[in-house]
Amino acid sequence: MTKEALGELILSSERQLYATARTILSDDQDCADAIQESIVKAFSKIDTLKKDRYAKTWLMRILFNECYNIARRINVNEPLDEGYAENRKQPKENRDYSELYRAVNELKEELRIPVILYYMEEFNIREIAQILEISEGAVQKRLVRARKTLKKKIQLEEIFI
């Protein structure tokens, strides 16, 4: 992959990079730092990319590593803030998904990240497995567990409303 092609990939993935960083980091400045550091590392290590078709997954893996480095450094492991859901692309219909977003934000990180990558960022199972460095089966199991957990949370809230 050329540096120009990597630059185009980064520009076309800007929103996705931010949203992905937000799955781990709650502060905008920390997200910006992680993205910036990821871009620098991607350009400096471009020769380690073996196949161009995996460039986006490779870039996201670098971003995840940077986010975790920042999170460890500041010892923060908070869920997404509630404003994140409001800044996402609004659905075509005027439905209120705030309960669903809140329930997703309350998931443990190991379940929350695959859910966000799959449903919000539209990565496929294989790409998520590569990004998280786990098997495709593990991604599928986490998505199933997350759906069950979300279903229970939302049903319980409906009972008490």
Side-chain angles (χ1 to χ4, degrees):
M1 171 169 270
T2 66
K3 289 187 177 190
E4 291 79 20
L6 178 59
E8 289 174 18
L9 173 66
I10 290 167
L11 290 174
S12 68
S13 304
E14 188 175 338
R15 186 195 65 78
Q16 215 168 24
L17 290 168
Y18 175 77
T20 301
R22 254 331 247 230
T23 64
I24 300 169
L25 303 168
S26 59
D27 182 67
D28 285 337
Q29 188 59 47
D30 291 336
C31 291
D33 290 345
I35 292 167
Q36 183 177 16
E37 191 61 34
S38 298
I39 291 169
V40 169
K41 282 190 179 178
F43 276 107
S44 68
K45 304 220 182 243
I46 197 168
D47 57 321
T48 65
L49 177 62
K50 303 213 182 342
K51 294 185 180 179
D52 289 358
R53 70 175 183 223
Y54 297 123
K56 191 169 192 174
T57 304
W58 173 77
L59 179 61
M60 292 305 225
R61 182 70 239 166
I62 293 170
L63 177 62
F64 263 89
N65 289 339
E66 282 308 310
C67 289
Y68 284 123
N69 287 341
I70 290 172
R72 276 191 297 273
R73 219 175 20 243
I74 59 176
N75 200 20
V76 173
N77 198 5
E78 299 173 12
L80 299 173
D81 65 11
E82 295 196 22
Y84 175 80
E86 296 163 5
N87 292 331
R88 302 287 301 159
K89 212 171 17 175
Q90 292 297 317
K92 291 180 183 175
E93 300 174 23
N94 261 345
R95 293 186 184 166
D96 180 17
Y97 291 105
S98 59
E99 287 180 46
L100 177 59
Y101 283 120
R102 189 179 44 69
V104 168
N105 290 336
E106 291 174 357
L107 288 172
K108 289 189 275 184
E109 186 176 289
E110 76 171 21
L111 300 179
R112 184 177 71 238
I113 290 172
V115 165
I116 290 173
L117 291 175
Y118 187 77
Y119 291 105
M120 296 178 182
E121 299 306 321
E122 299 177 355
F123 280 99
N124 64 40
I125 301 290
R126 176 175 285 145
E127 291 170 328
I128 296 169
Q130 290 171 344
I131 291 168
L132 299 178
E133 296 179 335
I134 59 176
S135 70
E136 291 178 32
V139 172
Q140 292 171 334
K141 286 179 185 177
R142 289 179 186 188
L143 288 171
V144 168
R145 283 183 20 224
R147 283 191 292 266
K148 285 180 183 178
T149 303
L150 291 169
K151 185 176 180 181
K152 285 179 188 175
K153 281 184 180 188
I154 291 173
Q155 286 175 344
L156 279 175
E157 288 175 4
E158 288 176 357
I159 291 172
F160 293 111
I161 293 178

